[in-house]
Amino acid sequence: DVIVGPGNRWVTAAKQLISGVCGIDMLAGPSECLVIADETGDASVIAADLLAQSEHDVDARPILVTTSAALADAVDVEIQKQL
């Protein structure tokens, strides 16, 4: 038997406890995602990527770095729509 997949700090702690008794894929830390985009970025895709990482754990850190205030605003709107 092998336990695999992402999770939060509790999943990582559980994997650490059973490591050696049962196979595990790896001990993972909090999810991090950095999206770097200019004004050509697709707000809906960027929002989806940021949300996909943030759903794993309250310690997840999805970050958008952009040169475009308009894109940052559009991503904020998309995040609210996709929640």
Side-chain angles (χ1 to χ4, degrees):
D1 293 325
V2 178
I3 298 174
V4 299
N8 57 25
R9 72 179 87 192
W10 306 110
V11 172
T12 299
K15 285 181 177 181
Q16 190 171 21
L17 287 172
I18 58 91
S19 180
V21 176
C22 178
I24 65 168
D25 55 352
M26 66 179 182
L27 298 174
S31 293
E32 295 176 346
C33 175
L34 174 66
V35 176
I36 301 172
D38 62 12
E39 67 280 353
T40 64
D42 184 329
S44 63
V45 172
I46 293 169
D49 282 343
L50 296 174
L51 286 171
Q53 290 304 309
S54 65
E55 73 182 1
H56 292 295
D57 192 347
V58 296
D59 292 329
R61 296 289 175 251
I63 300 166
L64 169 61
V65 175
T66 182
T67 56
S68 170
L71 178 64
D73 292 340
V75 170
D76 281 342
V77 169
E78 276 297 321
I79 287 173
Q80 293 306 314
K81 286 199 301 195
Q82 294 181 29
L83 284 174

